[in-house]
Amino acid sequence: MNLSPAGEWSACGERFYHKKEVYSHVGGPTPSTSAPKHPNQLKRMPTPLYEYRSACARFGGPVALIRDETILLEVGSTYDPNQTIHIASMNGEVSGRFPWKENHVSGSGASTGAPKQVRNKGKLVNFGWTSSLVLLCVDDSGSVFQYDTQGELLRTHFEALSRYKLGSRSNNPFGDDHEDGVEDLDGGGGSDLVVTHCEVWDEGCVVIAIERDPQTGQRISRRCFSLLCQSGGGSKESAHHQGGFLQCEELKCPGLEAGDIHAVCIAEPLTSISGKLEVFLAVGDSIFVVDAQSCERQSVDKGPILLMSLCPNGQLLAAYAESGDLLVVSTDFTQFLTEFQTSQEDEPDQLVWCGVDSVVMRWEEELVMVGPYGDSVAYNYDDSVILIPECDGVRILSDSSMEFLYRVPDCMVEVYRPGSTAPGALLYDARQHFDNQTARADENLRQIGEELEGAIDTCLEAAGYSFDVAEQKRLLRAASDGHVFCPSYPKDKFRDSCESLRVLNGIRDASVGIPLTLLQYQALTPQVLVSRLANAGHHLLACRIAEYKDLGIDRVLHHWARQKILKGDGTTDQELCDSIVEKLQRSHGSSIASVASYAFQRNRKRLAAMLLEFETRVAKQVPLLLEIGESQRAIDKAIESGDADLVYYALFYVKQRISLQDFLELVNHRPQASSLFISYCKKTESDSLKTVLQSMGRHEDIASTTFEEILQETGHEDAAQDPAKFAALVSGLQRTADLYTFTKEHAFESRACMEYAKLLKSQRKLEDSQTHTRYTGLSVAESMSQCVMLGNARALQQLKSDFKITDKQFWYLRIRTLAQAQDWNALLELANEKKSPVGYLPFYNAARERGAPNSVLAQIIRKISDARSRAEKFAAIGMVNEAAEAAAATKDQDLLTKIRGMAGTSVNSLASNAIEGIRGKFHGSG
Amino acid sequence: MSGGVQPSLEGSLLPLSELRASAQSNLLNLIDRRPGRKVLVLDPKISGPLALVANIGMLKEHGIEKLYHLEKNLSVADGTTREVVFLVRPTIANVRLISEQIIEAEERSAKRREATTIHFSVYFTPRKTVICERILEECGVLGSIQVDEFPLWLIPFDEDVLSLEIDSVFSDVTVEGDLSSLYDVASAIVQLQKVCGLIPRVTGKGACAKVVSNLAQRLALENDLAGSPQPTEGASRIHDLVLIDRSCDLLSPMCTQLTYEGLVDEILGINNGLVEVPAARGAPGGAEPQQQQRRGRRVPLNSSDVLFRELRDLNFGSVGPKLRNKTMHMREEYQDINTKGFSEVHQFVKKLNIMPVLDRHTELASLIQEKSAMDEKFLRRLRCEQDLLDGRGVDQACEYAEELMFLERAPLESVLRLVSLVSQVNGGVPKKHYDALRRGILHLYGYRSLAGLQRVQGSGLARRHEGGRNAFPQVRKAYRLVVDEADDASPTDISYVYSGYAPLSCRLVDAALRPGGLEQDEAARLIPGPQFTFEQRARGAGQGGEGGGDGGRRTVLVCFIGGVTFAEISALRFMGSQGGLDVNFVVMATKLINGTTLVKSLM
């Protein structure tokens, strides 16, 4: 029989609280002063904790520790002049450490090429974690340093407040912070700002500074700023290698006359009344609530407040007054809920909320928890502890262990409270009885009756809150027993609980050290948990959880690959590449290019190139190839992709960096690239077009380009008006003709250009002889038509012979011209001139189309030699007699009938008689 | 006029109305990015296609007050405008014009010392390109404007017709060797696959088809289409993709289309689903305003018009009888009306709705009839074309071309179209005619036509016969391109769309759908260009999806790279309606073309 967990509970008023040890053997020996020779040597968190200042992250995140300089050094231990900051996870394992006091070289890392400047860090005012697990350290000069959980410096902002100094040259409170991470040294001037207080929250920090006159050192004013840490480009998860930018905003601040600041606490925008960031300042005898617009004074009867803490839901404020009273006030200061007189003389070291309804105070060796109705519980400790508030409880980190103090949730109370007869307890007992093979199991189940569903809920919920795996199993078994008798119970609920528990047990394991409760896990979300695990180096677990929760493992794999590159100094490029590619290729759609880009940043160019070979997304591959200087491969890849845009990108990138000669050499061997480049040059009328074509030996293109150029430069109008332009056009055409002779196949084009020049000259001559007529701009045929119209037979003949117009073409042209002009006499004249080489049908068609009178048409039809079409045409214009005569000549019976039909009834009898006559003759002979 | 222009798309096999709706909301989101009243400047090339996606009323609701076409010396800044939005194709010429506009406006406002300047947004469709941004940068305006893209890849013209409406594809690819537009085609296919799932079987013919299929495959890989959820079987699923490079069949567009829709396009021209009916044939009644009378009426032609749906694919010869039948039927019913009951009268009145449509098509058909079957020149041209297809009359055709030029001075495109037809059936224009024709063209249309002539040559449409074997007779035999005893009125073969000639492109599609696809089609080797077939499968796609045809018909997407004619679309519809293949076709093209517009795009 197991002991009931209720035995460990302590009652506080009507509620139960439970303090559960999660990890033991947390702390290690005091670190020696020398830098660790071997990484394994100092894996444990330094102790004793009371010698250290601490900053703890929420959601079971790491704790950062720095030795408190105000505490005297014990005899025998050595002083650490570097003031190392240790970062440890909840299981006491140190994940990183870095020296605070070290001359800092700005522009560190491979990413910035800024000139290096050596600066000293000031005194550490405070430090703390943002929600993306970036450690913000603020020194008294207002410089902000961002570190990751491994102690790697991410980003530095020197004197982030300098622009706000009085008399500062760039006194622009609305301007953004410099985004290059390093402030100008001379950005300040004017007064001195000395940071006195700093408080870090999820998204940044609030800094309070005293402004002093640089000459006299006199305090001028007090000012308050909010520094927001925006993650640069990436999301929360990518903050690992991408510290955020800072955005600075000045808040209102109570003046120096109000008194000294005793305590600062921050109301986050999500929970504050105004929905914006609010800061609670305990100044003098009062509390001030300040934001960017206002500074409201709230008077508190009990006099100076020394410590303050805001409830996780932001609705209540706990404050410890100098008088020794603990006050709990609503944040709008309308309700005073609890007043508790402590028995201690000194003020507590820490004051935090445990969940949303009780407050915990820490003195050196005693913890006092005060419940909502003024009840209290005290816990005693031998060694020093740190309190870490969470949304549903408080973590207690001591030299030797990590405990979690929380209010026992109702579901657990229902199940475990001695003598409970609630359905949950009955179900739980039923299972116990079943295991012991007693009949009471059934009895219990009957007793639950209708409330079975609620009972299952209770057991499942309780399992979620339990830290003990064996207990979880018992509760789940009980729930599952109930499930058998309750078929309507949703299956998903059961499965979800089990899934969450699996994840929670996995991360609570001492080797991982993220002791989340179910509520915390739900608030943190699995996505963030996975990225935190990856950041902490638990890639396998992160991958498993991501796959288990169907979240996609790309981010984890990328983080892993980056770590591999970061730490893989000893391994060869090939080994690294193989192992990275092997893993990354398992996850489809993950981009190797970003890993390659990281390798390049880390000065592993060869590795980057090798990795890029495996990137399937050419659009990501090409820019990086260009960046690492593999221009040829980049261009080839771009061509292979078929995306002209990418080819252009690569070409322009390369062209800017090498000489035109080298560039052309590069492009010449790649026909697709060169035709794209030529197409670009053509469309942009680039000067280099001809150079490019020349270098490629594309003579016909040079010729055609020249041709188009010449035509564009000189329109017909210009050529007609301006003799100089005319001459230029003619000589240009001759030049083009020469260019076309470079290639045998373009003899036709060459001749055409020559002919064009000849035409222009002939036209000029014609214009000279006949003033008031324009020829320039007309084609050969149009010029000839004009000659026909003007009756200039000599010029017409000249053009015909000059341009070798064939007889047929010549006749067609004249027929069309005359018909168009409706000059029927001239047309008939032409028809009678001599035997037409094109026959007389064209005459007929053209004339008829242009509406020639029947008399003209008849004359033309008579000239048509083919009797059959003569008959048809006569018929078409209604001359039936003639049609019949012509038809007779064909001796075609059908045609005759047809014409008779065409003649119809409208035709006079004469005509039909004629037809009959002819038909008769025809019959007679046939 | 709003709304009526767009086809309903209700009956489409693919989720085209969703495609259109998302394009609409994309556009409106882009417009809404800037507050207040705006001026919209459109690329003339996309304003037509855009009307198939959005309408004026919609734009007005979102603050567009004025609408201009982008052109030289356009002045949008009239002093009151604060927001100007450009929506253009990403061409260099467009970007140049835009830069001029912006610079001019900035100079003017600087001169007048205006406090507020105009804000410019430039949206490229379907995507912004490096070149365009580079030129904006060179002109010094990139910094002060907002640049983004409007990803309108495919414009739905009808339930089964999609077009990219990029008319330069054929000339870019064949003449300039610039394959960039093929990337757009591939992107469009991938966009469709994002909605319809990975297309399991891809087959095609021609160099461009190969490039597009490679690109589409790669883009699909990059977008991880194989891993993304596939639509359930049956619902908006495409089973086959057939890619046809226009260069493999340049012959068909050169022939005169003889379907109703095709002939309307040949004679009046259909642009963006609209045909402009000349005003001379005036609309009945004086209800329409004078202005529109003069400009002619624009009539939408799509399958939302029930009668047109019935007529569009018929050989024009059978349109007349069909219309006559309809009218007769209506009249008979009208005469019987006295003997009918109340509900039957109601039924009849409902049918009267079709009267205006019937009237419209009777008018349109008689107009077409006049310009085709009753026109000597048209008939002569048709005879000439059919002789050529039969393998005779090359010399006569060349002489006819000469006559077209010198006697009739026909438009250059019309002449080149005939010359190209000769070249296609004869493996090149005979030497003796070729240079004479070229010289003739220069003499008649001016030497400045030389560049256009060179481009027509470069595109492969027309070339000189340089000896060697002419493959066309073999192709004609292998694919039964010429069918003699065709009954155009009740056709049994697609050859009815050209009255006796079956378009090669559609025969290739037919071959592509047989087992093995085009890769194993022996006859296709007679045509230059690679042929290929491959299968791709989504990860986790059930084997049961094989063939997709268990019970249902397969949906085949046919993509014409370089354009498609209406007659070809009709032929595909006919193939789909015949039992043999058991497929439904959806046609996708870079542009809806006919021979004349194709030649024009090269000029």
Side-chain angles (χ1 to χ4, degrees), chain A residues 616 618 641 643-645 648 652 672 675 716 740 748 755-756 779-782 803 809 816 849, chain B residues 127 129-131 134 177-180 215 218 222 377 402 406-407 409 438-439 443-444 447-448 454:
Chain A
T616 49
V618 189
S641 80
D643 182 357
D645 211 37
Y648 278 129
F652 292 146
Q672 269 170 308
S675 61
H716 286 131
Y740 268 125
F748 176 82
E755 270 196 7
Y756 191 10
S779 71
V780 174
E782 286 158 352
F803 294 96
Q809 293 172 347
R816 170 168 52 85
E849 194 183 345
Chain B
R127 61 169 182 154
T129 61
V130 170
I131 292 200
R134 187 183 159 87
D178 174 355
L179 305 184
S180 49
L215 280 174
R218 223 204 55 233
E222 289 185 7
K377 286 182 189 168
E402 193 174 33
F406 282 89
L407 183 61
R409 206 188 191 284
R438 282 203 286 178
R439 275 169 50 83
H443 286 154
L444 199 70
Y447 290 98
R448 289 181 187 239
Q454 280 181 306

Side-chain angles (χ1 to χ4, degrees), chain A residues 385-400:
Chain A
V385 297
I386 301 172
L387 300 181
I388 308 165
E390 293 278 3
C391 59
D392 57 348
V394 62
R395 244 175 252 299
I396 303 166
L397 186 65
S398 69
D399 288 350
S400 58

Side-chain angles (χ1 to χ4, degrees), chain A residues 906-917:
Chain A
S906 67
V907 183
N908 59 30
S909 55
L910 196 73
S912 58
N913 283 344
I915 292 173
E916 283 311 312

Side-chain angles (χ1 to χ4, degrees), chain B residues 128-185:
Chain B
K128 62 179 179 194
T129 61
V130 170
I131 292 200
C132 288
E133 281 185 308
R134 187 183 159 87
I135 289 175
L136 285 171
E137 198 180 350
E138 276 174 6
C139 297
V141 295
L142 186 62
S144 57
I145 61 173
Q146 185 176 0
V147 179
D148 209 329
E149 55 193 19
F150 171 43
L152 177 65
W153 296 99
L154 286 168
I155 297 147
F157 272 69
D158 216 320
E159 289 169 6
D160 54 354
V161 182
L162 290 159
S163 171
L164 273 83
E165 285 302 287
I166 305 177
D167 54 4
S168 64
V169 175
F170 181 66
S171 106
D172 279 351
V173 170
T174 55
V175 183
E176 308 282 346
D178 174 355
L179 305 184
S180 49
S181 44
L182 299 186
Y183 186 87
D184 293 339
V185 181

